[in-house]
Amino acid sequence: EVQLMKSGGGLVSPGGSHRLSCTASGFTPIYAWLTWVRQVPGKGLEWVARIKSNTDGGATDYAAPVKGRFIISRDDSKNTLFLQMNFLKTEDSGVYYCTRVHVDGAFDVWGQGSVVSVSS
Amino acid sequence: EIVMTQSPATLSLSLGEGVALSCRASQSISNNLAWYQQKPGQAPRLLIYGASTRATGIPGRFTGSGSGTDFTLTITSLQSEDFAVYYCQQYNNWPPYSFGQGTKLEIK
């Protein structure tokens, strides 16, 4: 079964850092573009960051609210995607989902979601 | 940045009814549009990509249509498991990949 398994949610103080990870199973992510999407409880979905496959150059892109603070990366030897979150703000709180980008461009596989709470 | 607008925000319907959900893009996105379904406490699930292609395992009562700026997700004969929040998303012009604000289907 194709899955993305999350880990790394938690409670963080404003201004602090936190790292999320997401491990793929049931498929080889080496050729996949991967993303992070977040959701404030009771609100809609917000794309956060995307990393291309290393075979496509490994380029990264970020949503404006997180650019310069978050870093998306991947370790294909471990089938794992990461999101390093720095200088966290209360508005970064929410559920973070890792996703796979389908060849068409839609997000066809989603992880279960990691809860990140930024609060003093 | 492309803005996606969904309407209405909430719909109250009965089992067995049909429904059409609307999604509009602020500029043309060709057919680079996806629909997702999200149930409480779960991750979103891809229903439709390419505006009209059903994802693997999605029942035939879900149909996507449209191109350019106007898109529709039609669900025929609503089942109990269909009551959820539905999001559209464009992936024509990125970054960012933008989502609509969602339409919630409630049981009347």
Side-chain angles (χ1 to χ4, degrees), chain A residues 105 107, chain B residues 1-4 23 25 27-29 32-34 36 71 88-100:
Chain A
F107 299 168
Chain B
E1 176 177 341
I2 296 177
V3 177
M4 306 300 292
C23 175
Q27 63 189 75
S28 177
I29 57 170
N32 295 309
L33 180 107
Y36 301 88
F71 301 86
C88 64
Q89 177 215 18
Q90 71 84 21
Y91 49 91
N92 188 68
N93 286 25
W94 44 260
Y97 297 88
S98 32
F99 291 89

Side-chain angles (χ1 to χ4, degrees), chain B residues 56-69:
Chain B
T56 303
I58 302 304
R61 63 180 182 273
F62 292 91
T63 301
S65 62
S67 66
T69 60

Side-chain angles (χ1 to χ4, degrees), chain A residues 33 35 37 39 43-47 50 52 61-63 97 101-102 104-108 110-113, chain B residues 31-34 36 38 41-46 48-50 87 89 91 94-101:
Chain A
W33 295 16
T35 84
V37 173
Q39 184 172 36
K43 301 295 185 181
L45 301 168
E46 179 186 27
W47 169 76
R50 188 227 60 229
K52 294 184 178 181
D61 281 297
Y62 298 92
Y97 298 100
V101 182
H102 184 264
D104 174 76
F107 299 168
D108 68 335
W110 292 65
Q112 314 104 300
Chain B
N31 67 336
N32 295 309
L33 180 107
Y36 301 88
Q38 186 178 33
Q42 296 184 17
R45 176 175 72 148
L46 177 64
I48 302 286
Y49 63 91
Y87 295 96
Q89 177 215 18
Y91 49 91
W94 44 260
Y97 297 88
S98 32
F99 291 89
Q101 75 277 28

Side-chain angles (χ1 to χ4, degrees), chain A residues 78-116:
Chain A
K78 297 179 180 177
N79 291 349
T80 301
L81 174 72
F82 301 100
L83 184 68
Q84 178 66 41
M85 304 183 289
N86 302 318
F87 306 106
L88 281 160
K89 306 175 181 181
T90 54
E91 54 263 41
D92 294 319
S93 296
V95 179
Y96 284 72
Y97 298 100
C98 54
T99 87
R100 182 179 76 175
V101 182
H102 184 264
V103 291
D104 174 76
F107 299 168
D108 68 335
V109 180
W110 292 65
Q112 314 104 300
S114 296
V115 178
V116 175

Side-chain angles (χ1 to χ4, degrees), chain A residues 48-77:
Chain A
V48 172
R50 188 227 60 229
I51 186 166
K52 294 184 178 181
S53 63
N54 284 323
T55 54
D56 284 332
T60 58
D61 281 297
Y62 298 92
V66 309
K67 197 168 186 178
R69 299 188 298 121
F70 288 14
I71 301 171
I72 186 172
S73 63
R74 59 194 299 158
D75 183 343
D76 289 338
S77 69

